[in-house]
């Protein structure tokens, strides 16, 4: 993605007149099927109201440690994107290398991991896409290493992960329905969000395979949920803009209830880990 600088690593100052519509968020997600270790760390800020919401899920096997906090900020404003440390409640995000590497600590007792991207930060788009959620963002795939704690257990881990940073004014008529992302290795990963738009449902995302990105033109999720709308699995049928077809079945191995499901995915003979999320459990 052209134009990214170290300034984009940190908080962004809302332009004049944007008011409470302006939002900024950070997220780090992973699931390692071999060890059963998983994490979903989410931070959303409202600079106009000076509040922040922290939502974290850390799992070891079937044990899930969940934390939700709403923090009232003091009267300061974002520092113009200064690279450094963000601390909100029990969540800390510290930049190691701008746009590429971060230390993330969460919870009490705390889990602490370091994320290091193996891709350059990017914003994926393609001509003719039918969903525009608004705002700016960049994302990357990489690896997390460190120690996680849940259910009285501590576990050292090293596995693949996904990082995203979003800021701006979201579109008022485009809303996420469900999303999925998974990684099989540095040569094979994917990220897809299905949106509800004024003209119907439309996907936005990609699959990286064969050394290049393939934009998703169509996707059928075939998501299975329980009676409460919590995802249990999916059968992804993907058609890319360059006329490639993929089928990726997924099974939620660890459910968080109201958050993302930590899932295994299969593509050919390869198995990967990631998340499956239904954004409105009310349907």
């Amino acid at each position: 993605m052209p134009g990214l600088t170290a300034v984009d690593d940190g908080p962004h100052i809302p332009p004049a007149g944007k008011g409470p519509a302006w939002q900024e968020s950070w997220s780090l997600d992973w699931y390692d099927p071999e060890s059963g270790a998983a994490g979903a760390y989410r931070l959303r800020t409202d600079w106009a109201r000076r509040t922040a919401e922290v939502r974290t899920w850390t799992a070891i096997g079937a044990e899930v440690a969940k934390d939700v906090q709403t923090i009232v900020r003091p009267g300061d404003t974002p520092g113009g994107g200064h690279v450094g440390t963000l601390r909100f409640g029990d969540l800390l995000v510290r930049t190691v290398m701008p746009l590429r590497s971060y230390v993330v600590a969460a919870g009490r007792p705390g889990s602490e991991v370091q994320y290091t991207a193996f891709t350059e930060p990017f914003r994926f788009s393609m001509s003719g896409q039918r969903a525009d959620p608004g705002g700016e963002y960049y994302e990357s795939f990489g690896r997390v290493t460190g120690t996680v704690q849940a259910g009285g257990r501590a576990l050292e881990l090293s596995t693949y992960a996904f990082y995203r940073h979003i800021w701006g004014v979201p579109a008022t008529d485009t809303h996420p329905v469900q999303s999925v992302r998974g990684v099989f290795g540095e040569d094979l990963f994917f990220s897809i969000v299905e949106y509800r738009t004024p003209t119907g449902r439309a996907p936005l995302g990609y699959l990286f395979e064969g050394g290049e990105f393939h934009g998703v033109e169509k996707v059928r999720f075939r998501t299975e949920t329980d009676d409460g709308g919590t995802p249990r699995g999916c059968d992804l049928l993907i058609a890319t803009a360059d006329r490639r077809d993929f089928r990726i079945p997924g099974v939620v191995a660890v459910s968080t209830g109201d958050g993302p499901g930590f899932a295994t995915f299969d593509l050919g003979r390869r198995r990967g880990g990631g998340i499956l999320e239904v954004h409105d459990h009310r349907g």
Side-chain angles (χ1 to χ4, degrees), residues 31-32 35-38 58-64 150 153 155 253-255 262:
Y31 174 55
D32 179 19
S35 68
T58 306
I60 300 176
E63 297 290 338
V64 180
R153 297 176 57 195
L155 180 69
V254 182
S255 176
F262 300 116

Side-chain angles (χ1 to χ4, degrees), residues 216-234:
V216 173
E217 179 72 23
K218 298 178 181 179
V219 62
R220 181 178 296 174
F221 273 76
R222 290 182 176 172
T223 301
E224 177 186 355
T225 63
D226 64 15
D227 292 340
T230 300
R232 297 302 184 191
C234 64

Side-chain angles (χ1 to χ4, degrees), residues 40-248:
Y41 297 164
R42 312 288 175 80
L43 167 63
R44 182 182 299 275
T45 60
D46 184 332
W47 297 122
R49 294 186 174 92
R50 300 190 180 98
T51 62
E53 181 185 65
V54 174
R55 297 171 64 87
T56 65
W57 299 267
T58 306
I60 300 176
E63 297 290 338
V64 180
K66 173 185 173 182
D67 189 28
V68 178
Q69 295 178 296
T70 299
I71 297 97
V72 178
R73 296 280 292 160
D76 57 352
T77 57
H82 290 175
V83 177
T85 299
L86 293 171
R87 185 186 295 274
F88 295 86
D90 294 332
L91 180 70
L92 176 145
V93 181
R94 178 171 60 83
T95 297
V96 177
M97 180 183 298
L99 307 175
R100 295 298 297 268
S101 183
Y102 308 89
V103 169
V104 180
R108 298 181 183 178
S111 299
E112 182 172 311
V113 299
Q114 179 166 333
Y115 170 79
T116 302
F118 56 69
T119 66
E120 294 290 336
F122 58 89
R123 173 176 180 170
F124 184 83
S125 63
M126 62 182 183
S127 61
Q129 64 190 34
R130 292 171 290 143
D132 181 6
E136 301 291 338
Y137 76 92
Y138 60 87
E139 58 194 48
S140 63
F141 277 83
R143 180 174 287 275
V144 288
T145 58
T147 303
V148 293
Q149 300 196 46
R153 297 176 57 195
L155 180 69
E156 296 286 330
L157 83 154
S158 178
T159 193
Y160 297 117
F162 174 85
Y163 178 83
R164 176 177 281 180
H165 181 182
I166 306 171
W167 65 95
V169 178
T172 58
D173 58 359
T174 301
H175 306 282
V177 177
Q178 51 194 338
S179 59
V180 62
R181 59 184 64 105
V183 57
F184 302 87
E186 296 187 17
D187 62 330
L188 182 59
F189 50 88
F190 66 95
S191 174
I192 306 169
V193 182
E194 182 184 45
Y195 288 95
R196 182 181 294 110
T197 76
T199 58
R201 293 191 179 191
L204 184 61
Y206 56 85
L207 185 145
F208 183 87
E209 187 267 341
E212 60 182 327
F213 288 93
H214 307 281
V216 173
E217 179 72 23
K218 298 178 181 179
V219 62
R220 181 178 296 174
F221 273 76
R222 290 182 176 172
T223 301
E224 177 186 355
T225 63
D226 64 15
D227 292 340
T230 300
R232 297 302 184 191
C234 64
D235 191 354
L236 298 172
L237 301 177
I238 299 168
T240 66
D242 56 353
R243 300 182 184 277
R244 297 175 182 234
D245 295 319
F246 299 87
R247 179 184 179 188
I248 307 177

